[in-house]
Amino acid sequence: MKKIIIAIGCTAIIGGGAFVANNMLIKNAAETVTSEVESSLIGLKNKFIDVQLIDVEINNNNVKQDFAIYINNGSKRLPEPIYLKHTATVAPFGLSVEGNFSLPKDKGLTSTLIKEVASLNENIKYKFDTNNQSLDLQSNFSFGEINAGRSSSFKLGDVEILLNGNKDAFTTSTKIDGIRISKRREQVYLNGIELKTNTTNNTYHTEIIANDGGYNDRSGGVSFKDAKFDSAITIDDNTNLKLDWKVNSLDLQSSNITQLSNKLGLSGEINGVKTQDLSSLIDLIENNPTEETIEAALKSIIGNGIKFENINIFVNNSSTNGQLEIMPANYKGLTNRESGKAFEKSLKVDFNITITPKLVQLFEINQNVLDRLWNEEESGNYTTTFKQSLGKQFINGVKAN
């Protein structure tokens, strides 16, 4: 387990070089480079890592810095750090800065990792244009398979990270050939992973792609092909989210069930969440939260109302689409039971539902229910509607409560 933590730590630090470089806003001096890199790296400190500056050397326009990154495994700190070296050269007149990050392989936890994987290759270089404050970073990282003992292993394929942009707009691309974690007869794997982000002043777009992946054990497993998860967050007075997630093929196999080549999807929009309330909730979670404060923050967010629009959930030819709205309500001073009743009355739902004969058999829906609450289409599928308002529910126009 310790070896895997070391490997993950090395990988995180490689990716962290992008974060460090992104915070460099140099003017014309090498001193600014050292100061920005130092403050950015040390600013990464949290309950998992502790970054310390060991040495710094400035020779005209050349900069060298050495850092030690200590990793916390639970409540214990690993005795040796991962060492990180940063070198940079400032161009004449401070027009640009070119630099790179590397992991010294003859000391610290990196040397321990080398003994396990035999090879560790990294290449992290960047160029920062001080005129337009733009950054271009390229990072490559790879190492062999780690045997963690007791028939356990961890393998991370080649990693490539690309970043480009400035403080107004920024794009990133992270590609990973594959990840595999094995323990005895259990295995988790992902292949052909790509993460793309596009960030502007108030919009954050993320796209995650995986060619295939799955989990296997003695009893069976689950596997997928061609997964794509697309999301966009817009932050203004309100925070709005758009989702479009699809899996082209999902297989489930066990002694009790076999479902092959299932197509899955989820899309929709979440609108109306007040950004200030969401920020307060995040601050509470990060700064010693209590059950009472978290509950109050959630009630405040829900109490202001939220809209779930253009919802579409599908499994093969079965689908649910429509709208769901949480109407504004005041939950202050209410007991949990009173809050539950108020929440139920605040729900406004309008869904159209389609299911296939295969799902009818799977859920064992009897004929009387089909005749009363569902409509049989020419295709053989069954359709119905579900509506809720002021706590009253209707299925295909028939009151359900």
Side-chain angles (χ1 to χ4, degrees):
M1 185 63 186
K2 175 181 175 182
K3 298 169 187 174
I4 294 176
I5 292 173
I6 295 170
I8 294 173
C10 289
T11 306
I13 290 164
I14 296 299
F19 178 83
V20 171
N22 185 35
N23 285 284
M24 291 173 49
L25 299 175
I26 70 166
K27 295 184 179 178
N28 295 314
E31 288 85 353
T32 304
V33 178
T34 62
S35 175
E36 292 296 333
V37 171
E38 179 183 348
S39 63
S40 297
L41 272 172
I42 292 177
L44 295 174
K45 180 178 178 180
N46 54 40
K47 63 181 180 180
F48 302 108
I49 64 171
D50 180 19
V51 183
Q52 298 179 9
L53 176 66
I54 299 174
D55 188 30
V56 59
E57 179 183 340
I58 300 175
N59 184 8
N60 295 322
N61 62 336
N62 295 313
V63 172
K64 294 181 180 180
Q65 289 173 289
D66 293 318
F67 295 90
I69 297 97
Y70 289 91
I71 299 176
N72 298 320
N73 183 12
S75 60
K76 295 182 179 179
R77 169 183 285 188
L78 299 185
E80 288 189 279
I82 297 174
Y83 291 98
L84 177 67
K85 180 181 288 291
H86 168 241
T87 60
T89 301
V90 181
F93 306 106
L95 296 177
S96 65
V97 179
E98 294 189 25
N100 64 74
F101 295 90
S102 61
L103 300 173
K105 301 176 180 61
D106 58 348
K107 57 183 179 179
L109 293 180
T110 307
S111 66
T112 303
L113 181 62
I114 288 289
K115 295 175 183 177
E116 299 295 331
V117 300
S119 64
L120 172 63
N121 301 298
E122 85 282 355
N123 179 26
I124 318 158
K125 58 183 180 180
Y126 68 86
K127 182 176 181 179
F128 187 82
D129 190 319
T130 59
N131 182 45
N132 58 19
Q133 300 286 287
S134 66
L135 171 71
D136 185 4
L137 182 142
Q138 296 179 324
S139 173
N140 299 90
F141 180 66
S142 66
F143 59 77
E145 185 172 356
I146 300 173
N147 293 314
R150 295 185 179 181
S151 302
S152 299
S153 65
F154 172 80
K155 185 174 182 180
L156 178 69
D158 293 346
V159 180
E160 178 189 68
I161 302 174
L162 304 176
L163 299 95
N164 183 267
N166 54 35
K167 61 184 179 62
D168 296 321
F170 212 81
T171 62
T172 71
S173 173
T174 301
K175 295 180 180 180
I176 304 174
D177 282 352
I179 300 172
R180 190 187 74 225
I181 302 173
S182 301
K183 185 176 182 181
R184 295 192 178 97
R185 297 187 182 182
E186 294 180 78
Q187 179 177 260
V188 178
Y189 65 94
L190 289 170
N191 294 312
I193 308 160
E194 185 170 4
L195 168 63
K196 298 179 181 179
T197 68
N198 189 342
T199 304
T200 61
N201 286 334
N202 65 343
T203 302
Y204 304 86
H205 178 254
T206 302
E207 181 181 80
I208 302 173
I209 298 172
N211 289 343
D212 62 86
Y215 169 79
N216 299 313
D217 62 15
R218 296 179 182 180
S219 63
V222 55
S223 61
F224 71 85
K225 293 180 180 178
D226 300 328
K228 182 178 179 181
F229 306 97
D230 199 298
S231 62
I233 300 175
T234 302
I235 300 176
D236 206 332
D237 291 339
N238 289 339
T239 296
N240 303 316
L241 170 65
K242 289 185 179 181
L243 299 175
D244 188 4
W245 297 354
K246 292 177 182 174
V247 177
N248 192 50
S249 179
L250 178 71
D251 295 345
L252 299 171
Q253 288 183 301
S254 69
S255 58
N256 299 322
I257 185 171
T258 298
Q259 293 288 332
L260 304 178
S261 301
N262 296 287
K263 293 186 177 181
L264 311 175
L266 166 65
S267 61
E269 303 174 23
I270 303 175
N271 298 313
V273 180
K274 290 188 177 297
T275 301
Q276 184 175 354
D277 290 344
L278 189 60
S279 297
S280 298
L281 176 61
I282 294 171
D283 288 341
L284 282 173
I285 294 173
E286 292 179 344
N287 298 302
N288 193 26
T290 65
E291 183 177 345
E292 291 77 13
T293 57
I294 294 296
E295 183 178 334
L298 287 173
K299 285 183 176 180
S300 176
I301 292 174
I302 295 172
N304 288 321
I306 303 174
K307 293 181 179 180
F308 299 81
E309 301 177 299
N310 300 317
I311 299 170
N312 183 29
I313 304 169
F314 70 86
V315 179
N316 298 324
N317 293 322
S318 299
S319 65
T320 298
N321 59 75
Q323 327 290 328
L324 185 154
E325 183 175 1
I326 303 174
M327 304 293 288
N330 186 1
Y331 296 96
K332 290 183 179 179
L334 299 182
T335 65
N336 288 337
R337 184 176 181 181
E338 291 170 338
S339 294
K341 290 183 177 180
F343 178 76
E344 185 178 356
K345 287 185 177 181
S346 73
L347 279 180
K348 187 176 181 181
V349 182
D350 187 355
F351 282 151
N352 298 308
I353 304 169
T354 300
I355 60 174
T356 61
K358 186 176 181 179
L359 278 188
V360 171
Q361 293 179 353
L362 183 64
F363 293 135
E364 298 180 349
I365 303 175
N366 66 53
Q367 192 62 47
N368 289 334
V369 173
L370 286 174
D371 292 341
R372 190 164 64 96
L373 301 179
W374 295 82
N375 305 311
E376 186 173 4
E377 305 295 322
E378 292 183 2
S379 63
N381 292 337
Y382 294 86
T383 62
T384 191
T385 59
F386 177 81
K387 299 178 184 293
Q388 177 172 324
S389 181
L390 298 176
K392 297 180 180 180
Q393 300 172 352
F394 296 87
I395 300 175
N396 212 20
V398 178
K399 190 174 181 181
N401 61 348

